[in-house]
Amino acid sequence: MLDDLDRRLLESLIKDSRTSLKELAQQVGLSSPSVAERLRRLEDRGVIRAFTVEIDPQALGYTLQAIVRIRPLPGKLHIVQKLIEEIPEFGECDKVTGDDCFVARLFVRSIGDLDKLLDRIADKAETSTAIIKAQPIRRRPPPLGATASSKP
């Protein structure tokens, strides 16, 4: 699992993934080479998958987001999955259990664009769409240590 130093490094990187090795080292009281080695090990273990940026969809003109539940018609599962993968407006998609096979997030500029995108899969799947009004909790990582809900 994670020791206290790993947790502190990850918390700093979650806040700002551009934090320099020197600054991280100062924050946790290690040398820069020691921090670099810890980060390499966290990457090797798959704890850190990527150092990335967060883009504001509205700044790119995507003023609407929608959650789409998708239920492929019989025999169309792989075709629908391939379509979802090929349409760049699908920002993320989860394969789920239950009545639907996929739950996806779409970024669109208008309701008209949403209709056009859904029309591309309409003959292969049933969909149920909800427009996102607000996002009270932004995407966040799981807890790095013990939480109140994990204590007896």
Side-chain angles (χ1 to χ4, degrees):
M1 296 307 297
L2 300 175
D3 65 17
D4 185 56
L5 286 174
D6 288 341
R7 268 192 287 287
R8 289 171 48 205
L9 287 170
L10 290 171
E11 287 167 355
S12 290
L13 289 170
I14 288 167
K15 289 177 189 164
D16 182 3
S17 64
R18 294 177 59 180
T19 305
S20 70
L21 286 176
K22 181 180 177 183
E23 191 175 335
L24 286 170
Q26 290 171 344
Q27 290 175 10
V28 298
L30 294 175
S31 68
S32 293
S34 294
V35 167
E37 176 61 23
R38 279 182 171 266
L39 293 178
R40 186 195 58 75
R41 283 190 305 218
L42 289 168
E43 287 180 271
D44 290 347
R45 290 174 35 208
V47 175
I48 296 175
R49 290 194 284 195
F51 295 87
T52 187
V53 297
E54 183 177 337
I55 296 173
D56 182 356
Q58 290 196 358
L60 299 176
Y62 294 98
T63 56
L64 296 173
Q65 292 183 45
I67 299 296
V68 183
R69 295 184 2 234
I70 304 164
R71 181 185 311 176
L73 298 174
K76 304 287 185 181
L77 177 72
H78 297 294
I79 295 168
V80 170
Q81 182 171 333
K82 188 168 176 16
L83 271 172
I84 293 168
E85 290 169 356
E86 292 172 352
I87 297 172
E89 289 85 355
F90 279 104
E92 61 184 300
C93 180
D94 294 308
K95 197 170 192 179
V96 298
T97 61
D99 291 337
D100 304 310
C101 290
F102 302 102
V103 176
R105 179 180 295 261
L106 263 172
F107 299 102
V108 294
R109 292 187 165 101
S110 68
I111 295 294
D113 287 350
L114 176 63
D115 285 339
K116 288 176 191 170
L117 289 170
L118 294 178
D119 284 348
R120 291 177 63 183
I121 61 173
D123 62 334
K124 298 165 196 66
E126 296 176 4
T127 62
S128 175
T129 304
I131 300 295
I132 296 172
K133 294 180 0 179
Q135 193 174 18
I137 298 175
R138 303 204 58 78
R139 178 179 291 262
R140 61 184 177 196
L144 299 176
T147 64
S149 61
S150 66
K151 295 178 182 176

